[in-house]
């Protein structure tokens, strides 16, 4: 199947008991057994597996071209499950620009467990290679990154990790499977905050891991089962429903995102626009190489460089909503330094370029004329 068909049919089957086109919401914690240790069907207890969650996990594997998908109670729960594969003394190399919650987990939780983290610009291949040693067990990349829209060349990094037998994971939340498939480019694990584009309606908190290797999939499922951060059946149903329109929504997100980026790039009050679709973006060529479009996430700074200008702009917006998160059908605006990335120390934020006047937009699927007018009046 091609992608648009897979979002609707990939890994999916009509319910065998009723013929229901959409999988039922199996709102049950446990399943009857005919004799001790002999369940009537394939399920015993919903923490281990639930038919509604299984339907979602099959869809996740299909759209990312993996063999196993796993659905979690949040994107951070998915990340946590993977990190449980490592022990004290192991080392992890991560992109220097990361979602604040990921950075917090790495530095405040797992670093305290004896795992050593290195944060590096993944386009400085000399520096990246210099950090690899016998203790390196994982390379973690966001591309595009949150919030500076940095990119990393997935295929080039995969050549190194495969040669060194290091696990390679990609947070594909911003790009979505519609625009980018890291497993096809050589990554071992894909992570999604399914709260965002996969769900697409700002009504669910969920996460996902998708892998190519079946043995790794079994290991991660055991870690998920043993620690319990699974997604409930109703939320699983909602994410699965969201996936069925993913291609349509991300197509419009991308169309609108490109026009918003072009408008901001020409505005005298805007200093820098971070959007991989702009020819001026430092990683534009990488984006063209590994993505099928540039998405709906746009960040920018002000010519004045003043924090207060960004705050006033955000307070004046009428169509864009000032809120955390991204990837919903509605347009959202965010101040990373005060909101999503506040958990990153100020000196670290400045080091990687998250300035106090930086604004991040999640461009929705509204009429583009209304979005541009809203930006115009707020900037005025």
């Amino acid at each position: 199947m091609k992608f648009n068909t897979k979002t609707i049919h990939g890994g999916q089957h009509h319910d065998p008991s009723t013929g229901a086109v959409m999988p039922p919401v199996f709102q049950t914690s446990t399943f009857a057994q005919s004799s001790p240790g002999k369940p009537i069907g394939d399920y015993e207890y919903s923490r281990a597996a639930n038919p509604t969650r299984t339907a979602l996990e099959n869809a996740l594997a299909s759209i990312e071209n993996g063999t196993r998908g796993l659905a979690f109670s949040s994107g951070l729960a998915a990340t946590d499950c993977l990190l449980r594969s490592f022990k004290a003394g192991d080392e992890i190399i991560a992109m220097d620009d990361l979602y604040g919650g990921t950075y917090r987990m790495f530095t405040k939780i797992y670093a305290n467990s004896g795992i050593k983290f290195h944060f590096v610009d993944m386009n400085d291949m000399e520096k990246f290679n210099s950090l690899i040693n016998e203790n390196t067990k994982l390379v973690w990349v966001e591309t595009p990154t949150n919030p500076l829209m940095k990119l990393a060349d997935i295929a080039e990094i995969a050549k190194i990790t495969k040669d060194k037998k290091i696990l390679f994971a990609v947070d594909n939340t911003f790009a979505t499977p519609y625009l980018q498939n890291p497993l096809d480019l050589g990554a071992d694990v894909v992570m999604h905050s399914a709260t965002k584009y996969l769900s697409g309606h700002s009504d669910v908190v969920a996460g996902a891991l998708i892998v190519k290797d079946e043995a790794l999939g079994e290991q991660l499922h055991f870690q998920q089962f043993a620690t319990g951060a699974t997604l409930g059946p109703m939320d699983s149903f909602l994410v699965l429903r969201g996936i069925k329109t993913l291609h349509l929504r991300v197509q419009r997100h991308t169309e609108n995102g490109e026009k918003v980026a072009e408008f901001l790039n020409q505005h005298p009050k805007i200093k820098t626009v971070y959007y991989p679709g702009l020819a001026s973006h430092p990683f534009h060529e990488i984006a063209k190489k590994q993505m099928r479009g540039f998405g709906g996430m746009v960040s920018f700074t002000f010519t004045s460089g003043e924090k207060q200008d960004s705050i006033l702009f955000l307070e004046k917006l009428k169509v864009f909503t000032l809120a955390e998160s991204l990837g919903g059908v509605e347009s959202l605006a965010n101040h990373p330094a005060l909101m999503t990335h506040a958990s990153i120390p100020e000196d670290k934020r400045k080091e990687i370029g998250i300035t106090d006047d930086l604004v991040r937009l999640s461009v929705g699927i509204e009429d583009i004329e209304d979005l541009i007018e809203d930006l115009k009046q707020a900037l005025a």
Side-chain angles (χ1 to χ4, degrees), residues 123 143-145 149-155 175 178-181 185 254 258 274-295:
N123 290 280
T143 180
T145 63
M149 309 299 158
K150 291 184 180 179
L151 273 75
D153 191 321
I154 297 171
Y178 180 71
L179 301 178
Q180 179 174 273
N181 297 113
L185 297 169
T254 299
E258 289 175 354
Y274 300 95
Y275 184 71
L278 293 175
S280 58
H281 191 282
F283 307 118
H284 180 61
E285 292 304 315
I286 296 178
K288 289 198 298 182
K289 172 185 173 184
Q290 68 188 22
M291 299 176 72
R292 294 180 289 272
F294 306 112

Side-chain angles (χ1 to χ4, degrees), residues 3-14 21-23 55-56 59 63 197-199 201 237-249:
F3 186 83
N4 295 351
T5 308
K6 282 199 291 188
T7 61
I8 299 167
H9 299 288
Q12 301 305 293
H13 307 282
H14 301 152
V21 173
M22 284 296 290
L56 169 60
I63 60 177
Y197 287 106
L198 296 187
S199 171
H201 294 80
F237 177 86
L238 289 172
V239 176
L240 182 59
R241 184 175 69 169
I243 287 173
K244 290 182 183 294
T245 59
L246 177 68
H247 54 302
L248 297 173
R249 290 184 287 103

Side-chain angles (χ1 to χ4, degrees), residues 17 29 127 211 234 240 253 256-257 267 308-309 333 349 368:
S17 61
S29 60
K127 177 69 172 175
V211 300
M234 189 66 218
L240 182 59
H253 283 295
N256 284 355
H267 199 283
Q308 193 59 25
D309 282 349
R349 290 200 305 266
I368 187 60

Side-chain angles (χ1 to χ4, degrees), residues 313-327:
F313 165 80
L314 290 165
E315 290 175 347
K316 296 292 183 182
L317 290 169
K318 296 177 181 177
V319 179
F320 282 83
T321 300
L322 175 58
E324 302 262 359
S325 201
L326 59 104

Side-chain angles (χ1 to χ4, degrees), residues 108-363:
K108 301 296 185 182
I109 304 295
Y110 282 98
N112 293 336
S113 302
I115 298 174
K116 186 175 182 179
F117 291 86
H118 303 277
F119 298 95
V120 64
D121 180 350
M122 288 292 179
N123 290 280
D124 185 346
M125 300 305 286
E126 184 177 348
K127 177 69 172 175
F128 170 55
N129 275 293
S130 73
L131 294 171
I132 296 174
N133 59 60
E134 62 183 9
N135 296 320
T136 307
K137 304 300 181 185
L138 174 69
V139 172
W140 178 276
V141 161
E142 284 181 23
T143 180
T145 63
N146 182 1
L148 294 172
M149 309 299 158
K150 291 184 180 179
L151 273 75
D153 191 321
I154 297 171
E156 288 303 309
I157 295 172
K159 289 177 185 176
I160 297 169
T161 55
K162 286 193 184 306
D163 181 59
K164 303 288 187 180
K165 294 180 171 55
I166 300 168
L167 206 63
F168 179 24
V170 175
D171 181 339
N172 201 32
T173 299
F174 272 26
T176 80
Y178 180 71
L179 301 178
Q180 179 174 273
N181 297 113
L183 296 181
D184 292 348
L185 297 169
D188 301 297
V189 183
V190 170
M191 193 286 289
H192 283 277
S193 173
T195 309
K196 315 303 194 298
Y197 287 106
L198 296 187
S199 171
H201 294 80
S202 301
D203 54 7
V204 177
V205 175
L209 292 177
I210 304 98
V211 300
K212 204 88 166 176
D213 182 74
E214 292 184 10
L216 177 60
E218 281 297 319
Q219 174 193 327
L220 292 174
H221 176 258
F222 171 78
Q223 289 166 195
Q224 180 192 37
F225 164 73
T227 55
T230 53
L231 192 63
M234 189 66 218
D235 286 347
S236 295
F237 177 86
L238 289 172
V239 176
L240 182 59
R241 184 175 69 169
I243 287 173
K244 290 182 183 294
T245 59
L246 177 68
H247 54 302
L248 297 173
R249 290 184 287 103
V250 177
Q251 180 181 348
R252 175 60 69 86
H253 283 295
T254 299
E255 291 168 359
N256 284 355
E258 289 175 354
K259 291 174 182 175
V260 164
E262 289 165 1
F263 165 75
L264 292 170
N265 202 40
Q266 296 170 6
H267 199 283
K269 291 187 179 180
I270 303 305
K271 181 181 180 181
T272 305
V273 178
Y274 300 95
Y275 184 71
L278 293 175
S280 58
H281 191 282
F283 307 118
H284 180 61
E285 292 304 315
I286 296 178
K288 289 198 298 182
K289 172 185 173 184
Q290 68 188 22
M291 299 176 72
R292 294 180 289 272
F294 306 112
M297 298 302 301
V298 183
S299 296
F300 63 93
T301 58
F302 288 79
T303 305
S304 68
E306 294 294 329
K307 176 181 180 180
Q308 193 59 25
D309 282 349
S310 63
I311 293 174
L312 287 171
F313 165 80
L314 290 165
E315 290 175 347
K316 296 292 183 182
L317 290 169
K318 296 177 181 177
V319 179
F320 282 83
T321 300
L322 175 58
E324 302 262 359
S325 201
L326 59 104
V329 292
E330 65 289 310
S331 292
L332 299 177
N334 169 275
H335 192 286
L338 295 176
M339 297 168 71
T340 52
H341 291 68
S343 60
I344 297 177
E346 184 179 1
D347 59 339
K348 180 66 177 177
R349 290 200 305 266
K350 289 181 177 178
E351 179 186 329
I352 62 178
I354 302 175
T355 57
D356 286 344
D357 67 327
L358 181 72
V359 170
R360 189 194 74 189
L361 301 178
S362 174
V363 182

